[in-house]
Amino acid sequence: IMLYYAPLLTGITLATMFFTVFIAQTISNRMRKYFRLQQIVLGELDGHVEETVTGYNTVLAFNRQKQSSEEFRKVSAALKTAGIKARTLGGMMGPLMGFSGNMTYVVVAVAGGMIFATSLGIFLIPVFFVITEYIAAKMGILKHAKKKTTADYM
């Protein structure tokens, strides 16, 4: 329907939708990298703690408390950095998708106004708004369709 009544407006709408998908894919790839790193560093930290606790007498016998504590701080700092980056990118996803949807709405409104001023009837603009919102909602559903588990990041 969109393509039949206003091919230019359809092209603009699809371009903004592809832009939204590109943004989501880019952020997801970066976010996945940091979540994977977080899991790797968490495993290192867990291994260090387990070895230190089970071999506590050995650590005391060789006077390695200071080195063990320093290694713990170093690995813990790496875990903190990876976690902050992963959660920051993860927290950006929702607002960026909302912003992208709003920008799609604005672009369709401006382009529709320009097209209306030249040739088409005003009835097409609300139709495009409804269709654009419908498509954006379906994209949101698809985004949440597959829940990621920790195993997906390994």
Side-chain angles (χ1 to χ4, degrees):
I1 294 175
M2 290 171 60
L3 190 58
Y4 177 75
Y5 285 113
L8 178 62
L9 200 53
T10 303
I12 291 170
T13 302
L14 290 177
T16 57
M17 293 291 180
F18 285 126
F19 181 69
T20 300
V21 169
F22 174 74
I23 289 173
Q25 189 67 34
T26 302
I27 292 175
S28 292
N29 287 340
R30 289 185 182 171
M31 184 174 55
R32 188 175 301 119
K33 178 177 84 171
Y34 288 116
F35 273 114
R36 186 176 294 128
L37 178 64
Q38 181 182 11
Q39 292 302 312
I40 290 169
V41 175
L42 182 62
E44 289 176 14
L45 185 65
D46 184 48
H48 174 72
V49 168
E50 186 174 337
E51 287 177 9
T52 303
V53 169
T54 56
Y56 183 70
N57 290 333
T58 307
V59 171
L60 283 178
F62 289 103
N63 199 22
R64 303 277 298 175
Q65 299 95 326
K66 196 173 211 176
Q67 291 89 343
S68 179
S69 179
E70 189 59 39
E71 184 180 346
F72 177 83
R73 281 192 201 98
K74 192 184 309 179
V75 176
S76 180
L79 177 63
K80 178 181 172 184
T81 302
I84 288 172
K85 288 180 181 179
R87 285 188 299 272
T88 299
L89 288 172
M92 285 173 43
M93 182 66 87
L96 278 175
M97 294 303 287
F99 174 76
S100 178
N102 291 339
M103 285 308 297
T104 298
Y105 194 79
V106 169
V107 168
V108 168
V110 169
M114 293 164 81
I115 291 172
F116 167 70
T118 58
S119 64
L120 294 177
I122 195 166
F123 75 92
L124 282 182
I125 297 171
V127 170
F128 268 86
F129 284 153
V130 169
I131 293 172
T132 301
E133 288 296 318
Y134 177 77
I135 292 170
K138 291 298 178 188
M139 286 176 61
I141 290 171
L142 290 175
K143 180 180 73 171
H144 295 294
K146 182 177 184 270
K147 298 286 185 188
K148 294 281 185 185
T149 63
T150 305
D152 291 333
Y153 295 108
M154 299 308 240

